[in-house]
Amino acid sequence: MAMGWLLSPAAWSQFGILVGAYLLAVVITRRVKPTLHRVIDPGDKQNLFTSSRLFVLQFLPLVLPLLAYVLTGIGEQIVRSIFDSGAVIAFGKRVFMFLAARIFVRDILTDPFLKLLGRFILLPIAGLYALGMLDLVTLKLTETVVGVGNIRFSLISIVRGVIAGSILFWLGQWSNSQTSALIEKQEMRPSLRQLLIKVVEFMIFGAAFLILMNVMGINLGALAVLGGAIGVGLGFGLQKIASNFISGVILLVEGQATVGDYVELDGGEAGTIVKMTARAAILETYDGRWIVVPNEDFITTRVVNYSDSGSANRYEAEFSVSYDTDINLVPDIIEAAVAKHPEVLDLPYPPDCELRGFGDSGIDFAVEFWVNGIDDGPNKYTSDVLFLIWNALRDNDIVIPYPQRVVEIKGGLPVADAS
C-alpha cells in the first residue's frame, strides 16, 4: 500500500493538497484570529453579553485545525472527482480533527472532571477516528453481547453508558449548583428554600438516571419488576430511614427548625443546626462538637427553638447588696446601667430589677433582660450585664456583701494558768 501511494499521482496530489490546505489555514488564521479576538473580547465593558463573549473567546485556538479540516474537505471533493480516490487526504482530514480534539482538551477545558473525561474518553475516540478504526471497533463492541439475568446488552451499550453517565453526572452537578444558587437568592423561608433545593436535586438526578437507562438500551420494565422486589425486601428493614426522610420533609415544609437555629431537644441535645440532610440534622455545640440527630426526634419529642424568627430570649443576672444599703435606690440604678448595653432590648420588656429575698449576708436582687440570641458561644450577655452591675454599684458606693459569721463562746474564754 505504501509503495502504491509513493508511485501514485493521486496520492501525491492528495498530499500536496493536504499540505496546501494546512498552509492556507495557517495564513488565514494569522490574519483572521486577531480580528476575531478584537471583535469578541469585551474588554472592560460589562453588559448582558459579556459572559457569552468570554465563553466564545476561549474557543479561538480551534480556528486553525477546524479551518484546515474544512479546507481539506473541499480538497477531498476535488480529488475524488478527478481521481476517484481520496484515502490520503481523508486521513489528513481526520488527523486535523484529532488535533482539534487535543487542543480542546488541553487548552479549553478547565473543569478537572471534564478534562479527565476528555483525556481518557474523547482523545481515544478521536485517535481511533483518525486511524480509521472507529467503525471497526464500534462494530466489534456492538456484536459482543453480555447478559445479567433477563437483561442483555452489548458492550457498546456499556461504553455509551460510561460516556453518557459521566456527562450526565457532571451536568447534574452543574445544573444542581446553578439552581441552588438561584433559589438561595429568592425571598422565602429558609426551610422552604431547603425543600425546593432538595426537590430540584432529586428531579435532576432522577431524570439523568432515566436518560442513562435509555441511552444504554436497558428495558425499564425489567428494572421495575426487579426494583419492586428489592423495594418490598428493603421496606421492612428501612422503616426508620423512611420515617426520618418523611420527618425531614415535614420539617422543611413547616419550618419549625431550620439551618442556623439554636435548638434543645428533650434528650438533652442542644446546638446550632448547621446542616439538614434527608435522614438527620447536624447540631454544632458551642464547644465544637457535632451531634447527629435523626429527623424523627424533631417530630416525636419536645423541641425548644431559641432562634425562632421574631422571638427574643430572656435572661437574668443575680446579685446582692449589703443590709446598710437603701434598697429603694437599687432598681433604678441597675435598670439604667443594664439598659446601656447595646444588645439589651426595650421590647418586649425593658430591664427589670426585682427584689428576690433577704439572705444571710445581704439582700438578694436579680435583673431580668431580653436579647436576641443565645447567651453562649460568641455572645456572653450575662457576663457583660454583671460587669455593668458591678460598676454601677461601685459608682454609687453600694457595697456587695460577703459572708460574715458571729461566733459566741459560752462560758467565756478559758483563762490561762498563771503558774
Side-chain angles (χ1 to χ4, degrees), residues 255-324:
Q256 295 177 349
T258 186
V259 175
D261 289 353
Y262 186 90
V263 296
E264 181 179 356
L265 280 72
D266 248 357
E269 300 89 350
T272 303
I273 301 177
V274 295
K275 186 177 182 180
M276 297 187 72
T277 65
R279 187 188 66 84
I282 299 177
L283 309 184
E284 183 179 11
T285 64
Y286 283 121
D287 54 4
R289 295 180 176 87
W290 279 22
I291 305 174
V292 180
V293 181
N295 290 329
E296 186 181 13
D297 291 357
F298 286 88
I299 303 298
T300 58
T301 62
R302 184 178 65 91
V303 179
V304 180
N305 191 342
Y306 291 94
S307 304
D308 192 16
S309 179
S311 67
N313 299 312
R314 189 193 71 176
Y315 297 97
E316 65 178 36
E318 298 178 348
F319 64 97
S320 299
V321 298
S322 69
Y323 277 98
D324 297 332

Side-chain angles (χ1 to χ4, degrees), residues 167-207:
I167 296 174
L168 288 172
F169 172 79
W170 182 84
L171 286 175
Q173 290 286 90
W174 179 81
S175 58
N176 184 51
S177 62
Q178 296 295 318
T179 307
S180 300
L182 180 63
I183 294 175
E184 289 287 353
K185 296 178 181 178
Q186 305 304 313
E187 293 291 336
M188 60 180 71
R189 285 204 329 254
S191 58
L192 183 58
R193 190 183 298 119
Q194 291 292 325
L195 178 61
L196 286 177
I197 291 174
K198 292 297 181 184
V199 169
V200 170
E201 182 178 357
F202 281 121
M203 291 176 61
I204 289 174
F205 286 101

Side-chain angles (χ1 to χ4, degrees), residues 223-238:
L223 285 180
V225 175
L226 180 62
I230 295 175
V232 172
L234 293 179
F236 293 101
L238 301 179

Side-chain angles (χ1 to χ4, degrees), residues 36-250:
L36 290 176
H37 191 280
R38 253 189 336 267
V39 172
I40 299 174
D41 189 6
D44 297 332
K45 298 178 181 178
Q46 299 293 329
N47 52 45
L48 183 63
F49 302 102
T50 298
S51 58
S52 301
R53 294 171 69 178
L54 289 175
F55 177 77
V56 174
L57 187 64
Q58 63 184 347
F59 289 93
L60 282 183
L62 294 177
V63 171
L64 175 59
L66 292 181
L67 184 58
Y69 178 86
V70 172
L71 294 176
T72 305
I74 297 173
E76 181 185 10
Q77 298 299 322
I78 297 173
V79 170
R80 287 188 183 277
S81 64
I82 297 175
F83 298 102
D84 196 21
S85 174
V88 176
I89 198 169
F91 173 74
K93 185 177 71 170
R94 296 194 298 269
V95 169
F96 288 140
M97 183 57 69
F98 173 78
L99 293 177
R102 184 171 178 272
I103 292 173
F104 178 72
V105 173
R106 185 190 62 190
D107 299 333
I108 297 177
L109 290 181
T110 56
D111 184 85
F113 184 73
L114 290 182
K115 188 177 283 290
L116 186 68
L117 290 181
R119 186 175 301 167
F120 292 101
I121 294 179
L122 179 60
L123 288 183
I125 292 176
L128 291 174
Y129 172 73
L131 296 174
M133 300 175 60
L134 184 60
D135 293 337
L136 178 61
V137 173
T138 302
L139 179 62
K140 291 294 183 181
L141 292 176
T142 304
E143 293 174 348
T144 306
V145 178
V146 296
V148 178
N150 295 327
I151 303 176
R152 301 183 63 81
F153 43 85
S154 61
L155 289 181
I156 193 66
S157 299
I158 299 178
V159 175
R160 288 201 198 102
V162 172
I163 297 174
S166 302
I167 296 174
L168 288 172
F169 172 79
W170 182 84
L171 286 175
Q173 290 286 90
W174 179 81
S175 58
N176 184 51
S177 62
Q178 296 295 318
T179 307
S180 300
L182 180 63
I183 294 175
E184 289 287 353
K185 296 178 181 178
Q186 305 304 313
E187 293 291 336
M188 60 180 71
R189 285 204 329 254
S191 58
L192 183 58
R193 190 183 298 119
Q194 291 292 325
L195 178 61
L196 286 177
I197 291 174
K198 292 297 181 184
V199 169
V200 170
E201 182 178 357
F202 281 121
M203 291 176 61
I204 289 174
F205 286 101
F209 175 76
L210 294 178
I211 294 173
L212 180 59
M213 292 299 102
N214 284 326
V215 169
M216 295 183 65
I218 296 178
N219 185 3
L220 295 179
L223 285 180
V225 175
L226 180 62
I230 295 175
V232 172
L234 293 179
F236 293 101
L238 301 179
Q239 294 182 25
K240 277 291 184 181
I241 294 179
S243 175
N244 287 321
F245 177 78
I246 296 173
S247 299
V249 174
I250 294 174

